[in-house]
Amino acid sequence: MEIPAAIRFDRLGQVFETGSGRVEALRNVSFEVARHEFLAVLGPSGCGKSTLLRMIAGLLEPTSGAVEVFGRRVTGPREDIGIVFQKPTLLPWATIEDNVVFPVRHKRGRVGSHDRDRAQELLRMVGLEGFGKRLPDELSGGMQQRVGIARALHMDPDILLMDEPFSALDALTREEMGFDLLRIFGERPKTVVFITHSVSEAALLADRVLVMTGRPGSVLTELPVPVARPRGRETIKDPAVTELAAHLRDLLLQRDAA
Amino acid sequence: MSLSMPDFSQPESTKGKRPDLRRILAAPGVAAILTILGTVALWELAARTLNIPSYLLPAPSSIFSTFPSIGAERWAGHVWATLRVALLGFGLAIAIAIPLAIALVRSPALNRTLYPLLVIVQSTPVVAIAPIIIVVLGAGDAPRIVITTLICFFPMVVSTATGLAATPPELIELSRSLRAPGFREITQIRLPFAVPYIFSALKISVTLAVIGAVVAEFCASDAGVGYFIQFSTSMFKLPQAWAGLFVLAAMSLALFQAVSWAQKLLFPWSLPRKR
């Protein structure tokens, strides 16, 4: 028997009933994400990219079609999925360490020393060793988003969903965060769905890029990133990456012009 | 994290220099105290030179001279009577308002049914219901506490509900994705996020609580600062009534300050950060 994909969208459609009428957010979306694959989803604003993530997480029911995670249809929220949001959305009253262990405290009501050890290990991994006792507003936006990543990884999810996680950061920090992600997932591979507006970010990070059309969102094309791992700072200058980025940009611009 | 008031007035140029007059004037509170002292001095001057009759506007000196003549024990008795009702009413209002706000946020059905009712209750002038409540609940502290609660619980409900609903939706999604028990969404996410909202309501409500206690004393009472003012005016002892008014104002200020301190002490993160 063939190994089921980590995530599978099957002719999925999503229609929202709003006060001003029906809005078709997604139409006939089908794609698969293999285990430990890094998929970047690229598309114009309002093409339903975030809606896709919410459906994988089981926070939203599709109007038609189905989402499967590890061969099983998603019917409600799943615990084996971590989410990194566009904004860090940390708890302002809790220390950085408490923020990282928050999923455990929230789920079980208490936190063990093992959970704290794991938080320390994750903070080290995201480059925030020694910041555990600080409060979120003592940290920069980039550092806060690293805490958000550590929080999403604390329960050791099989799948990580990232919803434009670096879009609120300045260009340099954003690039740094990209390199850090390459290193983090190089150490511990995860199945990642990464929503982004940035073509270079998609080309640098992903194994495959899914390009979506505008509303209603549907899959325009899927492109593999023909660059071997491990990748690093020099990958940005790799002709294969720059060519792919240029091609992706053309695809998006054509769609906008059409 | 500093517990002192943010200092907006410190001029940069005088920092680190020897204290001079400008610097003293710019220190927090000094301007306010000087303004109050100046107003009292002007008032005293006006009352003396213009020969204003004391039943119209007594001079501050004649108001302050009533403090010793009443005696500390009688003052303490009246202050305690008013304070007790204000604090019990305020406490009862908190005990009702916060669970009610949680219920309103958790249940859209309750929000649709109960909220209009609350608005109606709030729109009814409490001063007008006070005599009715006193007839229904009889003598004693009970009717006064109910009147106080009625006057100060509505701002708490509205503000707490607003705060509970203002939680970042991402954290609610995180909570749902973890399939955590629903009460923890309230205790670990929504309530802490509502703390600044709750405290701004508490600051308003604690001064309303003093008003509620006084309104209740006006209707039926034999003790309390409100009763003392009413009694003094009926005897044409206007300076004495003014003294009672000063005591009430001081009580309200002290309670307001106490709530502010409680927030600084218990939830320092909920205050705007000093940069």
Side-chain angles (χ1 to χ4, degrees):
Chain A
M1 206 183 107
E2 125 187 70
I3 302 163
I7 302 166
R8 199 166 84 90
F9 274 68
D10 186 17
R11 284 161 295 151
L12 183 129
Q14 182 68 40
V15 176
F16 292 112
E17 299 288 344
T18 65
S20 49
R22 284 169 94 250
V23 176
E24 191 176 9
L26 294 168
R27 181 187 289 174
N28 200 23
V29 175
S30 296
F31 67 89
E32 288 188 5
V33 189
R35 186 156 189 268
H36 291 180
E37 187 183 17
F38 193 122
L39 179 81
V41 181
L42 202 61
S45 302
C47 73
K49 300 189 296 285
S50 298
T51 310
L52 281 183
L53 284 197
R54 276 164 183 76
M55 284 192 286
I56 301 170
L59 294 167
L60 197 66
E61 285 252 358
T63 315
S64 59
V67 187
E68 284 175 14
V69 170
F70 293 118
R72 293 179 60 183
R73 196 176 171 139
V74 176
T75 52
R78 302 176 56 105
E79 288 157 53
D80 54 353
I81 290 176
I83 310 175
V84 180
F85 301 99
Q86 194 168 351
K87 289 178 284 171
T89 52
L90 306 176
L91 308 174
W93 58 87
T95 62
I96 295 310
E97 187 186 302
D98 284 339
N99 265 291
V100 176
V101 296
F102 176 73
V104 181
R105 165 166 295 137
H106 197 57
K107 172 111 189 96
R108 302 198 204 114
R110 66 197 146 68
V111 172
S113 63
H114 164 80
D115 301 312
R116 297 210 168 270
D117 291 346
R118 173 148 176 79
Q120 286 303 329
E121 183 197 321
L122 285 166
L123 285 176
R124 201 173 310 130
M125 192 170 82
V126 298
L128 287 177
E129 194 172 10
F131 285 91
K133 299 296 169 213
R134 303 286 193 93
L135 287 172
D137 69 351
E138 296 175 279
L139 270 58
S140 70
M143 290 158 99
Q144 288 190 27
Q145 194 54 285
R146 286 164 201 268
V147 180
I149 293 169
R151 175 177 69 187
L153 290 173
H154 194 277
M155 300 277 246
D156 202 19
D158 295 313
I159 295 172
L160 195 65
L161 307 177
M162 306 183 83
D163 190 359
E164 300 185 36
F166 307 148
S167 61
L169 306 176
D170 63 86
L172 273 178
T173 312
R174 186 171 189 154
E175 222 172 84
E176 275 310 311
M177 297 287 283
F179 298 135
D180 277 349
L181 271 196
L182 285 177
R183 179 178 53 76
I184 290 167
F185 295 129
E187 288 169 22
R188 284 166 202 239
K190 295 267 176 211
T191 308
V192 184
V193 179
F194 186 95
I195 308 266
T196 181
H197 270 122
S198 156
V199 289
S200 49
E201 204 169 75
L204 171 71
L205 296 174
D207 296 310
R208 199 152 48 95
V209 182
L210 191 79
V211 184
M212 294 190 64
T213 64
R215 184 165 283 173
S218 58
V219 179
L220 177 66
T221 184
E222 285 176 41
L223 294 167
V225 182
V227 180
R229 292 186 192 269
R231 302 179 192 165
R233 282 169 201 278
E234 60 296 333
T235 312
I236 271 199
K237 296 177 216 122
D238 191 312
V241 166
T242 50
E243 265 170 48
L244 179 66
H247 181 51
L248 289 169
R249 196 170 287 117
D250 286 346
L251 276 174
L252 288 174
L253 288 175
Q254 273 169 24
R255 294 298 305 184
D256 277 356
Chain B
M1 193 162 298
S2 165
L3 290 184
S4 67
M5 282 286 287
D7 178 12
F8 303 113
S9 51
Q10 191 87 314
E12 285 296 320
S13 56
T14 59
K15 259 185 187 163
K17 281 190 193 165
R18 188 172 56 84
D20 56 11
L21 191 62
R22 255 184 70 191
R23 201 159 162 214
I24 292 166
L25 284 176
V30 170
I33 290 166
L34 286 180
T35 309
I36 293 167
L37 288 179
T39 309
V40 171
L42 264 178
W43 178 356
E44 182 76 39
L45 195 74
R48 284 182 189 223
T49 54
L50 303 174
N51 271 323
I52 300 171
S54 84
Y55 61 86
L56 282 185
L57 187 67
S61 57
S62 68
I63 294 170
F64 292 126
S65 68
T66 62
F67 279 104
S69 66
I70 300 294
E73 206 175 317
R74 273 180 73 198
W75 276 120
H78 287 309
V79 166
W80 172 238
T82 305
L83 194 63
R84 192 181 59 220
V85 169
L87 287 179
L88 286 172
F90 180 64
L92 185 64
I94 295 175
I96 296 171
I98 289 177
L100 194 62
I102 292 170
L104 289 177
V105 170
R106 291 286 287 186
S107 153
L110 216 55
N111 200 359
R112 279 194 299 272
T113 51
L114 210 56
Y115 195 74
L117 207 66
L118 288 175
V119 174
I120 292 172
V121 171
Q122 170 63 13
S123 312
T124 317
V126 176
V127 185
I129 328 174
I132 302 172
I133 291 172
I134 285 173
V135 171
V136 173
L137 293 178
D141 274 355
R144 287 175 219 142
I145 291 167
V146 169
I147 290 163
T148 306
T149 302
L150 271 180
I151 220 167
C152 67
F153 97 107
F154 192 74
M156 289 189 210
V157 177
V158 175
S159 207
T160 307
T162 308
L164 291 171
T167 305
E170 289 92 344
L171 286 170
I172 301 306
E173 288 195 332
L174 179 64
S175 176
R176 280 183 59 209
S177 76
L178 290 165
R179 290 198 293 169
F183 74 89
R184 281 205 200 113
E185 182 196 299
I186 296 291
T187 57
Q188 294 185 349
I189 300 176
R190 287 192 188 268
L191 267 180
F193 262 105
V195 161
Y197 294 82
I198 294 174
F199 267 89
S200 52
L202 291 184
K203 283 180 203 162
I204 297 166
S205 288
V206 83
T207 54
L208 288 177
V210 175
I211 296 175
V214 169
V215 165
E217 285 167 14
F218 279 178
C219 292
S221 177
D222 50 10
V225 185
Y227 161 79
F228 176 80
I229 291 172
Q230 207 180 29
F231 163 83
S232 302
T233 48
S234 69
M235 308 288 279
F236 276 102
K237 291 181 176 169
L238 264 297
Q240 207 170 284
W242 276 87
L245 198 64
F246 280 15
V247 169
L248 278 180
M251 269 173 68
S252 283
L253 274 175
L255 289 172
F256 182 90
Q257 204 55 52
V259 173
S260 304
W261 279 332
Q263 184 180 9
K264 272 180 205 162
L265 220 66
L266 299 172
F267 308 103
W269 51 264
S270 69
L271 296 161
R273 256 181 92 77
K274 196 168 151 182
R275 290 270 179 207

